[in-house]
Amino acid sequence: GLENKFNSAKGGTALKSNQYISMKAAGVCTFKVDPDAGICVQSDLTTKPESLNADESNANHRFMWNYIGNSIAGIARPYVNTLMRPNARTSLVGSIAGFLEDMKSEGNRALSRIYDFTCEDISSQPWKGLGHMDLAVNVQQLPTQKYINARLMLTTQVLLNVA
């Protein structure tokens, strides 16, 4: 794939900045912030129907999940260990929804990377009272494609499972 073609260690040609810009604009790759590795390029950030190639479709689904999962974790990071009051809840849901709206790109389907999504606070009342937040994020890649489902639990406490 692209990794080999542009990987100089594997005989490929290293990408230039203008190539990264063109590929990112076309949705082939994007930059992600990895908590361990720092800023890296996430390639194959596209959606492909299983009917065209099941293996590539599954790989694209995994790459998309990695990108979305890392991105929403990064968006939520400032809220970790804070009391999730109503304004913080609204702000976090709005920030994640805004990120996904950009990926949906409803005004220009040529730039769209996802078909649809939901992002909602599903916290139970007792959890809300303790300042916790349970957030459900569901992303649909294509009208007939798999979903990416993520759950975030933001708390002000460390919960231990004692045996």
Side-chain angles (χ1 to χ4, degrees):
L2 290 174
E3 290 85 2
N4 293 339
K5 183 174 181 179
F6 297 109
N7 185 343
S8 57
K10 295 186 177 186
T13 307
L15 286 171
K16 306 275 189 261
S17 294
N18 62 337
Q19 291 169 310
Y20 277 116
I21 292 167
S22 297
M23 290 171 70
K24 185 176 185 306
V28 175
C29 68
T30 190
F31 296 98
K32 71 175 183 176
V33 178
D34 185 289
D36 300 317
I39 296 176
C40 13
V41 174
Q42 173 73 53
S43 64
D44 293 327
L45 194 63
T46 58
T47 299
K48 181 175 286 193
E50 281 190 280
S51 60
L52 294 180
N53 184 319
D55 290 337
E56 286 183 17
S57 175
N58 289 334
N60 289 136
H61 183 259
R62 188 183 74 243
F63 294 142
M64 185 70 84
W65 158 242
N66 289 343
Y67 175 68
I68 290 174
N70 287 339
S71 297
I72 63 175
I75 292 168
R77 189 176 317 276
Y79 297 91
V80 173
N81 294 324
T82 62
L83 191 60
M84 293 304 292
R85 293 196 165 105
N87 60 341
R89 291 172 184 282
T90 302
S91 177
L92 179 56
V93 170
S95 295
I96 292 173
F99 161 71
L100 294 170
E101 281 290 341
D102 285 346
M103 291 191 73
K104 186 176 177 181
S105 192
E106 202 161 10
N108 186 349
R109 295 306 280 180
L111 297 178
S112 179
R113 298 295 160 248
I114 62 174
Y115 179 73
D116 206 1
F117 72 91
T118 61
C119 177
E120 59 186 316
D121 181 355
I122 59 170
S123 307
S124 65
Q125 200 54 45
W127 283 101
K128 284 182 181 180
L130 293 171
H132 303 307
M133 182 176 185
D134 191 4
L135 186 67
V137 178
N138 303 300
V139 177
Q140 187 177 11
Q141 286 183 270
L142 290 172
T144 58
Q145 184 67 345
K146 304 168 196 163
Y147 281 83
I148 294 170
N149 303 305
R151 290 281 296 273
L152 291 158
M153 173 61 84
L154 293 126
T155 70
T156 58
Q157 303 173 1
V158 176
L159 303 176
L160 299 175
N161 184 9
V162 180

